[in-house]
Each structure stands twice: as structure tokens, then as C-alpha cells.
């Protein structure tokens, strides 16, 4: 009897090719499209694309309207984090709480064997038979975004794109007549497709962007800003202040409505503190240990020494300096290519 699997489908090329690869590998595949946004022409188009792909591959496709749950969890968390001067990563939050959780619930309710997504990561089984998530070999690696998966989610997950690069995936789609072969990738946060965070935070989030002071590291007023919602740590462009040299956002203080700027040489760190570490396989270590650490999705993993300060706080000492880590982002931990887990940067 064929093993049964539920695949998260979005209407994009990655999940569509996953459907094809899984079916070719002998799986009994069902597609599930999670509708995370309210009804709109964009949502309808994505549904049509997913239906076309499912029909082409020859699998059933179901829909789950989760837009209200998504609004109350992922979107609200995004708003709350920005209100507190942090820079959230909604994908890291969404994967374990919405996407993988929904797929796993569906699998359990319908007696399916596994769940699948179109993430660019690798997986393997260790000698005990446990699934281990590994970094993808290409620059498209998305393991960082899975650093908060539960152990159960990781153990039931299948990643069909593990052996492929993005160009290869597009080629497979074209060779097999999938209508999404040339569909553009989404480059922004899914619920802010135009990338205008400040507009989203004010219109949807109900936040206000009050002008305030730009400060230097000593607290000297350098000029006026448009409201802390318009800025993120490390930002250089769009500051609209001329100081005769490059400056970057070093800190945000929504309570006092200030934005601290710094020079190039002041934007680097070698130490940071993280909270509430999450380990995908078992419990987080209680003793100091070494690991590779990514403090943002596009960063290279950096060797580090990690010292537990308490059950919920760790000190991370980087072997190589990095640009300022944004509070609210995730530090992902690796043993070589093996994803161990993650923690929230303070």
C-alpha cells in the first residue's frame, strides 16, 4: 500500500514541483492550501494556480481558510513586536504555529503518514531513525526559517526539493507542463507584498508614527526622524539625514521615540544575548557548548561559544564580528549542517 502524505501547496512553482516529485516517488499525495489572507483577487489567483498544478499532477487539493487565525497570531505578533521596537521574523513564527501545525493536524485527523513542504532544506535519518534537518547545499537554503519546529513536526516532515536548486526546479516544472514554471517568487512578507511596513503598521496595526529625535551614541540630537516604525536596525538608506558620512540605525526606542544612529565602525558586535532557546531534538544544553550561529536568514553561519546563563537566557560569543543583531530576530544554531534549533535575540 502506498504511503499517504499531505503537501502544503501555495500555487507557486516550489510546492507544485513537490507534488510532482512526491507522486513520481510513489506517495499517495493530497494537497492542502492554507488560505492565510482574506478573500481578494490575489488569493483567487493563487487558488487557481494551485488547482491547475494539482490537476496537472493528478492529485486532490483541499483548502483550509485560516486567515482569521493567521491575523490573530502571526500578523498580531508582527505588529506587537514592531510596537516594542523589535524586528520580528514572521516566517520563523508562522512555520511551527500555522503551516506545519496545520499540516500535521490534517495528517493525524486523516490517518496520513507524513507532511511535506517546498522548503529548500535537506533531511536525513540518524542511526536511531530520527529525521534530522540539514542546511540546503544552495544559496536558497531555508533551514533558518524552520528553527522553531517541534520535534514531532520535524519527524513527520518530508522535503522533496532537497536535491534541487531553484533553476532545476523551474526546469522540472517547464518540462512537465506545470503552468507555474515562470511564476515569480514572493520576495516580501506575505501579508505586506509591497514591502511598505510602516503603512501596514499604521493602517492595519493601528500604530502611530510620531516624529522624534535622531541621536548619536552619546545621546546628542542629530536631527528629526519620521517615527520609529519607519526604521529597522542596520538600516542605512532612506534615513533622510545628511551627516557627511555613512550612518546606520543602531537602536530603536519607541517608548522615548528616539532612533540612535552610529558610524560604520560602531555597527559591529561579537556578543549577544538570546532568550527562550528552542531545541528541535530533545532539550537545550545546560552546559557551555560550541555551535555555528546564524543571526539573520541571509548571514553565513559563524562559529560561536554559547553559555547558558539560566534556563531561558544564553550568552552567544561570536568568533567573527557581525553587524548589529536586531532584537526580535532569531539566532539559529547548527552543528555543521545540522539544524539544532533557535532562540530569540534580545
Amino acid at each position: 500500500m502506498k504511503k499517504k502524505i499531505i503537501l502544503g501547496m501555495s500555487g507557486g512553482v516550489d510546492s507544485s514541483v513537490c507534488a510532482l516529485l512526491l507522486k513520481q516517488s510513489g506517495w499517495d499525495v493530497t494537497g492542502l492550501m492554507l488560505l492565510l489572507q482574506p478573500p481578494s483577487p490575489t488569493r483567487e489567483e493563487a487558488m487557481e494556480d494551485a488547482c491547475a498544478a494539482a490537476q496537472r499532477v493528478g492529485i486532490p487539493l483541499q483548502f483550509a481558510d485560516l486567515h482569521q487565525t493567521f491575523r490573530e497570531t502571526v500578523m498580531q505578533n508582527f505588529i506587537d513586536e514592531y510596537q516594542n521596537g523589535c524586528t520580528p521574523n514572521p516566517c520563523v513564527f508562522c512555520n511551527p504555529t500555522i503551516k506545519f501545525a496545520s499540516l500535521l493536524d490534517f495528517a493525524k485527523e486523516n490517518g496520513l503518514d507524513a507532511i511535506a513542504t517546498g522548503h529548500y532544506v535537506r533531511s536525513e535519518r540518524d542511526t536511531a531513525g530520527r529525521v534530522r534537518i540539514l542546511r540546503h547545499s544552495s544559496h536558497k537554503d531555508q533551514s533558518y526559517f524552520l528553527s522553531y519546529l517541534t520535534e514531532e513536526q520535524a519527524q513527520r516532515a518530508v522535503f522533496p526539493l532537497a536535491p534541487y536548486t531553484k533553476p532545476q526546479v523551474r526546469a522540472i516544472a517547464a518540462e512537465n507542463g506545470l503552468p507555474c514554471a515562470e511564476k515569480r517568487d514572493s520576495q516580501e512578507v506575505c501579508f505586506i507584498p509591497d514591502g511598505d511596513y510602516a503603512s501596514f503598521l499604521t493602517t492595519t496595526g493601528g500604530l502611530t508614527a510620531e516624529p522624534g529625535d535622531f541621536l548619536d551614541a552619546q545621546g546628542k540630537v542629530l536631527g528629526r526622524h519620521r517615527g520609529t516604525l519607519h526604521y529597522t536596525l542596520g538600516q542605512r538608506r532612506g534615513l533622510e539625514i545628511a551627516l557627511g558620512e555613512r550612518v546606520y540605525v543602531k537602536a530603536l526606542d519607541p517608548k522615548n521615540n528616539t532612533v540612535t544612529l552610529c558610524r560604520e565602525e560602531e555597527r559591529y558586535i561579537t556578543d549577544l544575548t538570546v532568550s527562550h532557546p528552542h531545541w528541535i531534538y530533545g532539550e537545550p544544553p545546560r552546559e557551555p557548548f560550541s555551535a555555528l550561529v546564524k543571526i539573520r536568514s541571509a548571514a553565513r553561519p559563524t562559529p560561536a561559544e554559547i553559555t547558558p546563563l539560566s534556563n531561558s537566557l544564553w550568552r552567544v560569543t561570536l568568533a567573527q564580528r557581525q553587524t548589529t543583531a536586531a532584537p526580535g530576530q532569531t539566532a539559529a544554531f547548527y552543528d555543521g549542517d545540522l539544524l539544532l534549533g533557535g532562540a530569540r535575540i534580545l
Side-chain angles (χ1 to χ4, degrees), residues 201-221:
L201 292 167
T202 54
T203 57
T204 302
L207 307 185
T208 57
E210 296 290 339
D213 290 332
F214 278 124
L215 306 177
D216 66 12
Q218 289 70 45
K220 177 185 175 183
V221 176

Side-chain angles (χ1 to χ4, degrees), residues 7-11 29-34 46-55 59-63:
L7 166 67
M9 296 190 71
S10 65
V29 187
T30 297
L32 178 64
M33 186 174 189
L34 306 179
M47 293 172 67
E48 291 174 2
D49 289 343
C51 286
Q55 184 176 17
I59 64 168
L61 176 64
Q62 299 192 35
F63 299 91

Side-chain angles (χ1 to χ4, degrees), residues 38-298:
S40 69
T42 300
R43 189 173 97 162
E44 290 298 318
E45 180 182 349
M47 293 172 67
E48 291 174 2
D49 289 343
C51 286
Q55 184 176 17
R56 179 66 181 175
V57 175
I59 64 168
L61 176 64
Q62 299 192 35
F63 299 91
D65 193 339
L66 300 178
H67 81 268
Q68 190 60 40
T69 300
F70 185 79
R71 170 68 176 84
E72 294 169 353
T73 53
V74 177
M75 291 172 66
Q76 190 59 50
N77 174 263
F78 185 90
I79 294 165
D80 293 344
E81 288 280 67
Y82 259 93
Q83 188 172 24
N84 292 323
C86 297
T87 305
N89 193 312
C91 294
V92 173
F93 184 69
C94 178
N95 278 320
T97 59
I98 300 292
K99 292 184 179 178
F100 281 76
S102 298
L103 290 170
L104 185 56
D105 286 346
F106 187 97
K108 289 179 177 180
E109 292 167 2
N110 294 277
L112 307 186
D113 301 291
I115 63 178
T117 70
H119 286 91
Y120 284 83
V121 296
R122 296 182 294 129
S123 64
E124 65 179 18
R125 291 192 179 274
D126 62 17
T127 55
R130 295 187 312 169
V131 174
R132 310 193 322 162
I133 297 175
L134 306 170
R135 293 170 56 210
H136 197 265
S137 56
S138 75
H139 74 280
K140 185 71 174 175
D141 171 54
Q142 294 176 314
S143 60
Y144 175 90
F145 299 106
L146 305 184
S147 53
Y148 275 85
L149 292 190
T150 68
E151 185 168 2
E152 184 178 18
Q153 289 167 352
Q155 294 311 303
R156 298 285 286 272
V158 173
F159 304 105
L161 302 186
Y164 303 100
T165 64
K166 186 72 176 199
Q168 289 173 327
V169 168
R170 289 200 180 279
I172 292 171
E175 291 166 2
N176 289 272
L178 291 174
C180 57
E182 298 302 323
K183 187 174 181 178
R184 291 179 59 187
D185 292 337
S186 174
Q187 299 295 328
E188 300 291 343
V189 173
C190 68
F191 51 89
I192 314 178
D194 62 0
D196 190 347
Y197 291 11
S199 177
F200 168 82
L201 292 167
T202 54
T203 57
T204 302
L207 307 185
T208 57
E210 296 290 339
D213 290 332
F214 278 124
L215 306 177
D216 66 12
Q218 289 70 45
K220 177 185 175 183
V221 176
L222 301 174
R224 298 286 285 175
H225 65 68
R226 295 181 294 143
T228 58
L229 301 182
H230 289 277
Y231 308 95
T232 58
L233 262 69
Q235 180 178 339
R236 177 174 70 85
R237 299 183 184 278
L239 299 180
E240 298 180 356
I241 183 171
L243 298 175
E245 61 181 321
R246 287 185 176 182
V247 291
Y248 303 81
V249 175
K250 178 72 172 179
L252 301 170
D253 184 351
K255 183 178 180 180
N256 295 303
N257 198 24
T258 60
V259 176
T260 300
L261 304 178
C262 69
R263 298 181 177 88
E264 169 70 28
E265 64 271 16
E266 299 172 319
R267 61 192 290 250
Y268 295 96
I269 60 168
T270 54
D271 294 277
L272 62 148
T273 303
V274 298
S275 69
H276 298 92
H278 169 79
W279 228 236
I280 296 177
Y281 313 99
E283 294 297 318
R286 296 181 179 272
E287 301 295 329
F289 65 99
S290 300
L292 297 177
V293 180
K294 288 182 71 170
I295 62 172
R296 56 182 63 87
S297 62

Side-chain angles (χ1 to χ4, degrees), residues 300-323:
R300 289 181 177 274
T302 300
E305 297 297 320
I306 297 92
T307 305
L309 304 177
S310 67
N311 288 339
S312 61
L313 287 179
W314 286 356
R315 187 70 172 173
V316 178
T317 303
L318 303 169
Q320 302 167 352
R321 69 177 191 169
Q322 299 277 299
T323 53

